[in-house]
Amino acid sequence: MQFDFTTAPDRRGHDALAIDSIGMDPTAPAAPRAGFDAIPMWVADMAFKTCPAVTEAIGRRLAQPHFGYFEPREEYLSAILSWQCDRNGVTGLEPRHVGYENGVLGGLVSALAALASPGDSVLVHSPTYIGFTKSISNAGYRIVSSPLVLDEEGMWRMDFDDMERRLVESRAHVAVFCSPHNPCGRVWERAEIERAMEVYAAHDVMVISDEIWSDIIRPGLVHTPTQSVSDDARRRTVALYAPSKTFSLAGLVGSYHIIYDDYLRDRVDACASKSHYNMMNVLSMHALMGAYSEEGRAWADELRAVIAENVDLACDVIDERFDGVDVVRPQGTYMIFPDCSAWCARHGKTLDELLAAGWDVGVGWQDGRPFHGAFNIRMNLALPAARLEEALDRLDRYVFNPR
Ligand SMILES: Cc1ncc(COP(=O)(O)O)c(C=O)c1O
């Protein structure tokens, strides 16, 4: 390994929501009891340091002590174009197709404003990322959920008939598509995306495709951009990307959209720009240029391998030692979403009791119910393997198999 994924900076007192809000905020894990330190495994950011190329790029810019109004650099756009070409096989992407967004969720809300009116229905898949649920309903839209289903091999699949039925019933003309899927971790196959896009096209549904997790997939798998599956998909889709998940940059803020259709792009830009708040931060621009460099590519490749090893470690331990806990091995993201219904039933425990038992010994895992998993827990595996082993060991000894 060229880069360090075995140590993690001590983030305590350094503005990390994942650690500083433990025990302080009702939505955060409760504080551990004496003798246990907290291992944060909830907020979707990583315990690792960012890529050195990112800190170097920010450092070079910080050496110029002026932070006035600025124009995005040509290198910012060309970094995105070459990243999308090299990593996702995107062809024909031009600078004009790319636009800055403060955050992926902000981009989602701007796109919704361009495509629907408050009160209108929006189709999502369920389980659903909590940020979708909150931002779509807070902006006044009605969420229509089409459940993903587990097939005989234990793979999450879209139910195209169900999607079709719900689109017709609700008269929804916008769908939010999450690829790879959070929290289920599916990296959709091209044929599945093609079929979904045919369903959307057949019912005149515009698509907001959140591809924020596209860089974090198992080595050997490929991310298929939604816009790449057909000419119609290219025109019908607002795609949202960011370096934030991949490089631990969420605190710097900065994502981007890709919209090929001129009319659609103008409408989304119009909605996004009116507030004058959707403006780039000069340091986040330099951070992206560092992230999308040659070194950033090498770092992201190593990260993918590290995450895959952590996923295997956690899923193997769960399969072998946590009887009654069912986990689907994710193909992408660094999240797992184990279903604890059988364990809870067998031990006469509620999910709240189970969550609290983990928090008590410092495992800062997350309630899966707001993601629409009735007995699921969501766990972030982007941490050094030694810390993950420690968390799994505590879960074994004190929570699932107390001795
Ligand atoms: C699927 C998905 N979309 C969007 C976000 C948040 O993106 P942003 O912070 O850019 O709004 C997350 C964060 O976990 C996510 O998982």
Side-chain angles (χ1 to χ4, degrees):
M1 285 266 166
Q2 186 185 347
F3 302 103
D4 176 15
F5 292 101
T6 56
T7 60
D10 184 356
R11 291 187 289 165
R12 281 172 302 172
H14 293 292
D15 321 306
L17 176 73
I19 184 103
D20 287 344
S21 64
I22 286 183
M24 307 296 286
D25 182 316
T27 62
R33 68 176 193 245
F36 293 94
D37 62 342
I39 306 178
M41 298 178 77
W42 61 300
V43 174
D45 61 18
M46 304 195 286
F48 307 120
K49 283 183 287 231
T50 188
C51 168
V54 170
T55 11
E56 283 155 22
I58 296 173
R60 279 193 299 277
R61 183 60 186 81
L62 278 177
Q64 305 299 321
H66 52 89
F67 303 101
Y69 294 112
F70 73 105
E71 277 291 331
R73 284 173 179 242
E74 189 273 326
E75 294 101 298
Y76 166 81
L77 289 172
S78 55
I80 292 174
L81 264 48
S82 69
W83 181 268
Q84 288 293 337
C85 173
D86 299 348
R87 310 290 293 186
N88 293 334
V90 173
T91 54
L93 183 62
E94 296 172 23
R96 69 194 172 93
H97 301 142
V98 178
Y100 175 77
E101 297 289 348
N102 268 350
V104 163
L105 291 177
L108 167 81
V109 172
S110 296
L112 282 175
L115 295 167
S117 303
D120 285 350
S121 298
V122 175
L123 188 82
V124 299
H125 290 115
S126 154
T128 316
Y129 163 51
I130 187 176
F132 290 162
T133 313
K134 283 189 182 162
S135 56
I136 297 170
S137 52
N138 286 347
Y141 304 93
R142 270 194 338 114
I143 294 179
V144 176
S145 302
S146 177
L148 299 176
V149 284
L150 282 171
D151 70 9
E152 315 77 61
E153 270 95 51
M155 179 82 94
W156 289 103
R157 298 281 179 191
M158 289 181 261
D159 179 343
F160 300 109
D161 292 337
D162 182 82
M163 285 162 63
E164 200 142 26
R165 194 167 47 250
R166 289 179 200 270
L167 287 173
V168 172
E169 276 168 16
S170 66
R171 300 171 71 192
H173 290 285
V174 188
V176 175
F177 184 57
C178 193
S179 176
H181 187 271
N182 173 14
C184 294
R186 260 320 299 284
V187 173
W188 304 111
E189 290 151 22
R190 171 171 288 271
E192 293 174 292
I193 302 174
E194 279 170 0
R195 181 79 185 94
M197 292 308 292
E198 281 164 14
V199 169
Y200 297 136
H203 298 282
D204 291 317
V205 175
M206 301 299 286
V207 178
I208 304 168
S209 182
D210 178 336
E211 302 181 33
I212 193 170
W213 289 101
S214 51
D215 303 318
I216 303 183
I217 59 179
R218 275 189 100 82
L221 294 180
V222 284
H223 171 70
T224 304
T226 303
Q227 289 162 324
S228 73
V229 302
S230 67
D231 284 344
D232 181 80
R234 197 176 154 93
R235 283 194 301 274
R236 180 175 300 287
T237 305
V238 172
L240 297 164
Y241 291 91
S244 52
K245 289 280 163 251
T246 322
F247 293 96
S248 272
L249 299 177
L252 279 176
V253 180
S255 58
Y256 58 94
H257 66 231
I258 297 179
I259 311 176
Y260 291 98
D261 183 82
D262 291 341
Y263 173 77
L264 182 56
R265 192 173 57 252
D266 281 351
R267 292 308 312 139
V268 174
D269 278 342
C271 293
S273 63
K274 294 289 189 293
S275 67
H276 291 263
Y277 275 98
N278 198 33
M279 288 164 72
M280 198 188 295
N281 172 307
V282 72
L283 293 183
S284 101
M285 176 178 76
H286 284 269
L288 180 142
M289 291 177 342
Y292 282 6
S293 62
E294 280 311 312
E295 184 181 299
R297 284 163 165 72
W299 192 89
D301 287 342
E302 281 192 14
L303 174 71
R304 286 172 61 168
V306 167
I307 300 287
E309 279 171 21
N310 282 1
V311 165
D312 287 341
L313 170 68
C315 293
D316 287 349
V317 168
I318 292 172
D319 287 344
E320 286 159 21
R321 307 220 296 256
F322 302 170
D323 200 19
V325 180
D326 296 305
V327 68
V328 175
R329 212 163 283 239
Q331 301 172 306
T333 82
Y334 44 68
M335 295 295 181
I336 53 170
F337 196 55
D339 174 2
C340 305
S341 49
W343 188 90
C344 285
R346 202 169 300 158
H347 295 265
K349 299 275 186 210
T350 64
L351 191 65
D352 285 319
E353 288 167 333
L354 176 57
L355 281 164
W359 294 339
D360 200 38
V361 293
V363 177
W365 56 10
Q366 189 177 23
D367 187 353
R369 285 168 295 192
F371 296 78
H372 305 159
F375 275 95
N376 292 74
I377 288 181
R378 187 171 172 263
M379 293 175 74
N380 177 337
L381 305 184
L383 69 172
R387 293 295 279 161
L388 175 59
E389 279 164 17
E390 171 69 28
L392 294 166
D393 188 53
R394 290 184 201 174
L395 290 177
D396 186 18
R397 281 175 338 122
Y398 301 105
V399 178
F400 289 115
N401 304 304
R403 16 212 191 251

